[in-house]
């Protein structure tokens, strides 16, 4: 410091990159630097030794002057940001800006200066030009507003997509339901071998289409956060047995073996989402079946060493997956190569849905594979085993053994359904049974019939004109209540609907339905459900 003299120091202040104004304790300007002079468009004579509020009268009564007063009187340091007071001094970048009255945005430090062993006190005002920062902030704010608007738009678009997919799937499922139902019924008639072959193609194509629609609907529901994971008791042994049995015929016809094992330490009843776990297994075993020509498929369920996760393995001796494709097969619409669709069919959505479902269950999935040797999919999900319980106590209606048609209980059923095709399907399903089926074309007629006639069960389509199934159910329950009918003897109402979304199901239960069956209605399901309620 010793080689810096007064002149040096003054030059440094003059050339400083910020504005400097120094006042004595009488509010007189005793120093201004180049930066300040250049932007105030004033010369030194106009400023030197002048009272600050004479040169800048607009400062009177402002926070800036208050800070200067406090600085000189009480040696108080203050910062005046541009947020509250953006332009305290009339400072401009150039003359055009003066004309336009566009001041520089300013950030002020008001600094008390007292010199050792001197009575004199000064106030140094440092001014920083923050115009660029303000412009950037403004831009950022504008971008945030735009981003917010885009986010809202994107959410709306995604909602519209989900709604569209939900209603489209309903529109497609209803006629498909008729096609599958009729194909099922046709198999019960006398057919030539050739006709049977055509019918098999028809049924398989219908089922494939149905699976694709379900996949698309599932994916859109997962992506829009509408799919919820359930936490219910189930038996993994029963689930595996049932799932494997779905593939036994196919395995036999392809000449491959399919087997499974469940390790002993897994509890009889565990907690989780059995429907989704079955969907995952069907996807993985379905793929294994599709891509295996010789050898075997093996499914294994075991517990991790710490007994905290359930490990499910689906292993095959099929064509295998090339190393470089192992990661991408979990992405939407990805297949190992373009010939896959031609040879094996599929949409490339199965593994995407599988992985998303497993992640939603807080689990993980991995795959190991060797080309030409086979693949092994390993998934781990959190395990919650329950103490053994006799599962026969709660018999599921699907486990019921149906009696022959002639031994089936006689009954009278009210079917509320507007679609003639659906009426026709259900009629054909029940035609051999001693069931009198009475049809109501909408909820309103169903309600009137219910009030004037006697029925054992109501089958209620949920989407109907005039009065839908939800309203009709509510009205029937209200009628029963007004008639003082004990809820224990309330008539079973079985809802039939293509809307299998959780919200729709819970809404229906809130309205008072007893049970729920989703479209396409299967003959065996509807008969077992009717039998279940008649046998109660
Ligand atoms: P897809 O509907 O095409 O089967 P997935 O998402 O289920 O869709 O599978 C994506 C791709 O991963 C398949 O097309 C196939 O190329 C490959 N893949 C999946 N599982 C197997 C398997 N077990 N063996 C061989 N390749 C498989």
């Amino acid at each position: 410091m010793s080689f810096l003299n007064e002149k040096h120091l003054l030059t440094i202040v003059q050339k400083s990159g910020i504005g400097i104004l120094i006042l004595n304790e009488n509010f007189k300007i005793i120093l201004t630097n180049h930066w300040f002079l250049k932007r105030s468009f004033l010369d030194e004579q106009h400023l030197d030794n002048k009272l600050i509020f004479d040169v800048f009268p607009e400062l009177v009564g402002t926070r800036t002057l208050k800070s200067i007063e406090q600085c000189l009187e009480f040696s108080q340091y203050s910062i005046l940001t541009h947020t509250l007071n953006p332009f305290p001094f009339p400072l401009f970048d150039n003359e055009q800006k003066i004309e336009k009255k566009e001041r520089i945005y300013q950030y002020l430090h008001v600094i008390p200066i007292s010199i050792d062993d001197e009575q004199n006190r000064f106030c140094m005002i440092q001014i920083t030009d923050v115009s660029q920062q303000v412009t950037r902030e403004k831009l950022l704010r504008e971008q945030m507003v735009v981003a917010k608007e885009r986010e809202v738009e994107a959410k709306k678009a995604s909602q519209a997509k989900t709604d569209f997919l939900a209603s489209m799937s309903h529109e497609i499922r209803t006629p498909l339901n008729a096609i599958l139902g009729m194909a099922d019924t046709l198999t019960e008639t006398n057919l030539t071998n050739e006709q049977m072959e055509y019918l098999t193609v028809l049924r398989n194509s219908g089922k494939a289409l149905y699976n694709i629609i379900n996949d698309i609907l599932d994916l859109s529901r997962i992506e829009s956060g509408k799919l919820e994971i359930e936490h219910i008791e189930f038996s993994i042994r029963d689930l595996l047995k049932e799932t494997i049995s779905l593939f036994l015929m196919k395995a036999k016809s392809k000449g491959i073996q399919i087997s499974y094992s469940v390790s002993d330490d897994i509890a009889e009843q565990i907690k989780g989402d059995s429907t989704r776990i079955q969907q995952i297994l069907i996807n993985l075993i379905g793929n294994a079946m599709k891509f295996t020509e010789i050898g075997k498929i093996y499914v294994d369920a075991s517990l991790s060493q710490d007994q905290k996760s359930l490990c499910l393995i689906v292993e095959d001796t099929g064509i295998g997956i090339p190393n470089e494709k192992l990661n991408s097969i979990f992405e939407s619409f990805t297949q190992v190569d373009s010939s896959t669709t031609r040879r094996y069919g599929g949409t490339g959505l199965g593994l995407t849905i599988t992985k998303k479902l497993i992640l939603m269950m807080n689990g993980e999935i991995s795959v190991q594979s060797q080309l030409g040797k086979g693949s092994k999919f390993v998934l781990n999900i959190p395990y919650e085993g329950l103490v053994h319980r006799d599962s026969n106590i709660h018999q599921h209606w699907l486990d019921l053994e149906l009696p022959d048609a002639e031994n089936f209980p006689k009954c009278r059923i009210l079917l509320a359904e507007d679609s003639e095709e659906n009426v026709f399907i259900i009629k054909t399903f029940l035609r051999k049974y001693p069931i009198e089926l009475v049809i109501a074309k909408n909820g309103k007629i169903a309600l009137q019939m219910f009030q004037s006639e006697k029925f054992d069960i109501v089958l209620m389509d949920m989407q109907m004109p005039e009065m839908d199934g939800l309203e009709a159910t509510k009205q029937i329950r209200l009628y029963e209540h007004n008639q003082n009918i004990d809820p224990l003897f309330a008539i079973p109402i079985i809802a039939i609907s293509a809307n299998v979304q959780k919200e729709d199901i819970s809404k229906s239960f809130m309205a008072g339905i007893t049970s729920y069956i989703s479209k396409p209605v299967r003959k065996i399901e509807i008969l077992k459900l009717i039998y279940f309620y008649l046998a109660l």
Side-chain angles (χ1 to χ4, degrees), residues 325-344:
K325 296 279 179 178
L326 281 180
N327 285 327
S328 62
I329 54 167
F330 291 105
E331 285 159 20
S332 303
F333 303 109
T334 305
Q335 298 185 320
V336 164
D337 67 55
S338 50
S339 64
T340 307
T341 318
R342 250 179 294 127
R343 266 191 80 186
Y344 302 100

Side-chain angles (χ1 to χ4, degrees), residues 287 290-291 316 321 329 334-336 340 346-348 350-351 375 377:
N287 277 348
K290 200 156 64 167
F291 298 108
D316 65 58
I321 303 162
I329 54 167
T334 305
Q335 298 185 320
V336 164
T340 307
T347 53
L351 286 179
S375 312
F377 287 83

